[in-house]
Amino acid sequence: PASRSLPKVPPLAPTEINTVNLIKMVNQYLLDPNYAEVVSKDLGLSSQGTTYLWDGAEVSLLDAWHYYKQDVIILRIEVHNPTSMAKYLSASQIEPFIANTRFDSLLTQQGTKVLLPGQTDVKYLFLQGYALDIEGAHFELRLPATGKQLKPQ
């Protein structure tokens, strides 16, 4: 449907959002077409596919998900470090935008903030209460000015 009427959901406290379950739903959706069909009324998907080069690392905004019941948008971001230096990038440093409108993440989830050479991490940003229709929405990411070089211990 071109224009979905989104339920008006009040702002939720971070503790009301089960990030672990939402990430499980997203991953299950990607792996299992039957599950995807079952949950498609609760979970919307918008492919993004934008990659940024940041301090030698590749930061890819893979997709945006919308859990309608709680009006939670989940941005799935893959960060890969092909360099020979460790990189520090926390999910909380990544700012999502559409056009010039910035959205604040209510919560973030990630495997690691420090990416060793050759390592890849998937980071999730959770936005809540914006009543955005993600269908056709083009998110952009603003990344920190430069990566902090980590001094070897």
Side-chain angles (χ1 to χ4, degrees):
S3 65
R4 182 181 288 111
S5 68
L6 298 171
K8 189 69 189 118
V9 177
L12 299 175
T15 52
E16 295 178 83
I17 297 168
N18 189 329
T19 57
V20 172
N21 276 359
L22 288 173
I23 291 170
K24 278 185 188 161
M25 275 177 84
V26 162
N27 289 324
Q28 184 73 16
Y29 187 110
L30 291 167
L31 295 171
D32 181 349
N34 295 327
Y35 180 81
E37 202 172 312
V38 170
V39 298
S40 63
K41 67 181 187 316
D42 294 329
L43 193 64
L45 163 63
S46 168
S47 293
Q48 298 291 313
T50 310
T51 298
Y52 303 84
L53 278 178
W54 176 81
D55 199 30
E58 297 153 10
V59 180
S60 302
L61 174 55
L62 302 174
D63 35 46
W65 301 79
H66 199 164
Y67 182 58
Y68 305 122
K69 287 179 179 176
Q70 291 187 312
D71 188 18
V72 175
I73 291 172
I74 304 147
L75 300 179
R76 194 169 63 106
I77 300 164
E78 185 178 87
V79 183
H80 175 66
N81 179 10
T83 74
S84 59
M85 299 283 295
K87 304 288 177 193
Y88 178 92
L89 181 63
S90 171
S92 60
Q93 294 175 286
I94 302 172
E95 298 178 347
F97 282 78
I98 295 179
N100 288 320
T101 306
R102 182 177 138 202
F103 299 96
D104 292 315
S105 301
L106 183 64
L107 294 158
T108 62
Q109 195 88 20
Q110 61 199 343
T112 180
K113 295 176 187 177
V114 178
L115 277 153
L116 300 175
Q119 199 175 21
T120 300
D121 184 38
V122 178
K123 300 180 183 305
Y124 298 87
L125 307 185
F126 296 86
L127 321 176
Q128 196 274 325
Y130 286 105
L132 272 177
D133 189 350
I134 63 167
E135 206 168 299
H138 177 70
F139 283 92
E140 295 171 60
L141 302 178
R142 190 161 298 162
L143 298 161
T146 58
K148 308 265 184 297
Q149 293 297 333
L150 291 176
K151 303 271 183 291
Q153 295 301 324

